[in-house]
Every structure is written in structure tokens, then in C-alpha cells.
Amino acid sequence: MSGYLGGYATLGLLLLVGAGVFVAAFTANRLLGPRRTADWATSAGAKYETYECGLDPVGGDWAQAQIRYYVYAYLYALFAVESVFLFPWAVTFDTPGYGGAIVTEMAIFVAVLGLGILYAWRKNILRWT
């Protein structure tokens, strides 16, 4: 398929194939899946439990999580994403004519990262109790 509308025809064909796979999967599930009514579990009330694993739920429905787990996850994601910016810098470092500017920009970038980790360290965020 070439020409002006060739790309659109390819996209349309791909969308039709995707929709066909979707419909085929749900049709196969409907035809091949087991057919049980809710009567098998309603006598014990198990169908209406929070978890249908065979174990009765214990305790309340409110559980508190400590904020430090989220802070660690946030700091990890922050520094992992920012470290990805080091790879393009390493690739363009040898490009002629950009040596001083690239080194200066990366020094500023690493300094900002250093300030972030220093701030987290000074606020005792990284201390596990």
C-alpha cells in the first residue's frame, strides 16, 4: 500500500484486526467459559464477601500505611528518571564544539540532583527507624 492514503489504510487494517481479536476473545470466553449461577455460593453468603478465596476476612477495612514507603518510592522514581538524562549527555559529550557547554550543563544538573539528595538527607527522610 503506497501513496497518500497508504499509511491510513495500514492503520485502518491494524485497527480492524485488533477489534477482531478483541471480539474473538470475548466470544470464545462466552462460548467456552463455565456457566454457573450465583446459587452455588449464596447459601453461605460467600459470593458477597470482600474476598472469595475461602478465608473469612479478619479485621477492619481500614489499614494505614506509613508515609516513608511513599517517600522512598518517590525519591527512587525521581532519581531514576533524572539519571536517564545522563545517557544522552554521554552520547553527545564527544561532539566537537559542544565540550564546555555540555560539561557546564551537566555540572548544573548533577548539582541540582546533589541538592535534592542533600535536602532529603538533612531532613532525615532517608533514615529508617
Side-chain angles (χ1 to χ4, degrees), residues 1-17:
M1 293 183 191
S2 62
Y4 180 71
L5 296 177
Y8 291 112
T10 304
L11 178 64
L13 183 63
L14 182 64
L15 288 174
L16 283 175
V17 168

Side-chain angles (χ1 to χ4, degrees), residues 26-118:
F26 273 92
T27 304
N29 183 28
R30 175 72 64 170
L31 294 175
L32 301 174
R35 298 202 194 293
R36 285 190 249 162
T37 62
D39 294 336
W40 65 275
T42 55
S43 61
K47 188 70 174 172
Y48 300 109
E49 290 287 335
T50 304
Y51 302 103
E52 297 179 15
C53 64
L55 300 174
D56 293 332
V58 177
D61 58 349
W62 178 255
Q64 292 183 346
Q66 294 186 10
I67 191 68
R68 76 175 68 135
Y69 300 124
Y70 298 108
V71 171
Y72 274 101
Y74 178 72
L75 286 174
Y76 172 75
L78 179 74
F79 286 106
V81 167
E82 288 184 355
S83 67
V84 169
F85 290 115
L86 294 173
F87 292 111
W89 173 76
V91 170
T92 60
F93 180 69
D94 276 343
T95 306
Y98 291 109
I102 288 180
V103 169
T104 304
E105 289 174 2
M106 192 47 60
I108 292 170
F109 180 74
V110 170
V112 169
L113 283 178
L115 284 175
I117 196 74
L118 183 67

